[in-house]
Every structure is written in C-alpha cells, then in structure tokens.
Amino acid sequence: DTPEVHGTGCIFCGRELYLYRELYLETQGEGEIVIGNQVVISRGVHIVSFARVAIGAGSMIGEYASIRDANHRFGAEQKIRFSGYDTAPIEIGRNVWIGRGVTILPGVTIGDGAVIGANAVVTRNVLMGEVVAGVPAKPTPARRAA
C-alpha cells in the first residue's frame, strides 16, 4: 500500500524507508514534509504540515502517532472550522524513537537520539538523548538514551 497523501503533496523522502500501511501525509499552503534516510513510520501515523515537519535519518515513529505543525485558531466570534491556523515547524532529529500513540505539537524540536514514551504529548523541546514520557511529556528521572 502507498501512503494516503492529501493537499499540495510537498513531500521529500530519503532512501531505504520502511513505511507501514495506513500512513496519512498532508501538506497545505507552504507546508512540507521532509523524511530522512532509513526512517521507519508505522501503521496509522498522521503527519500534517502547514509550515515544515522534518524527520531525521534513522528515526522510528510508532503506530498511530500524530505529528502536526498547525492548530486551529479560535475565538468567541469565530467558527473554528473557518478561523485559520497558527503554525510553527517541527524538527525531529536523527535516530529518534517516537513511541506508539505519541502526539507532537507545533514548534517542537526533538534532539538527536531522544526517546519519546508511548502516548506522550510533546508540547516543548526535547534535548538530545533525553527520554521523556507523560502528558505533557517530561524527562524521566535519571534516564538518558544510550
């Protein structure tokens, strides 16, 4: 199966990827998705870009993760569907392990070799080699990736 692609189709893929079925990729406006070499993206992952989502070489993304660089604007006098978006790029480093069901929000940078625990919601930057988990994701005590 090929990934389900929506929007402008501004997607750049490296070599030797392993893409599971039911992958959803969407780019809108100036958005782009850049996937490095030897990346693994598991079943049911959604990646949506209105600005830029970059995934470094050798990274692995677990099932049903959601990576979105845009959020709807909202206000008392606006209908959310037609309110536009606030965007900020997402940068995922090399050899990052993103667990099953993780959500990564706009503006986040994840350093090389970091590990994101299953079902975490990443709302701020993750340092190189850091292991984070929870909602919102926070460093786990005395743990760093090897």
Side-chain angles (χ1 to χ4, degrees):
D1 288 338
T2 58
E4 185 177 335
V5 176
H6 292 270
T8 63
C10 192
I11 301 167
F12 304 94
C13 296
R15 296 182 312 273
E16 301 177 51
L17 303 180
Y18 196 104
L19 305 178
Y20 283 77
R21 295 177 6 186
E22 301 171 20
L23 175 60
Y24 180 94
L25 304 173
E26 178 181 347
T27 56
Q28 297 292 339
E30 301 296 315
E32 66 179 8
I33 298 171
V34 179
I35 303 170
N37 295 333
Q38 299 178 329
V39 168
V40 176
I41 304 178
S42 298
R43 176 187 300 266
V45 170
H46 281 217
I47 302 173
V48 178
S49 177
F50 283 63
R52 183 171 196 266
V53 173
I55 303 166
S59 292
M60 299 188 313
I61 302 173
E63 299 93 344
Y64 308 106
S66 177
I67 303 170
R68 297 168 183 266
D69 70 4
N71 277 324
H72 287 280
R73 292 185 189 119
F74 64 94
E77 297 180 22
Q78 293 180 310
K79 293 185 179 185
I80 293 174
R81 181 172 178 202
F82 304 107
S83 63
Y85 297 89
D86 291 321
T87 66
I90 294 172
E91 297 286 332
I92 298 170
R94 300 168 60 90
N95 299 310
V96 171
W97 181 13
I98 297 170
R100 186 182 207 276
V102 166
T103 299
I104 300 175
L105 297 179
V108 167
T109 296
I110 299 175
D112 293 346
V115 176
I116 313 299
N119 299 311
V121 177
V122 184
T123 60
R124 51 180 104 157
N125 294 346
V126 177
L127 300 175
M128 178 173 58
E130 193 167 41
V131 178
V132 300
V135 179
K138 295 181 182 172
T140 58
R143 296 275 324 258
R144 291 190 62 83

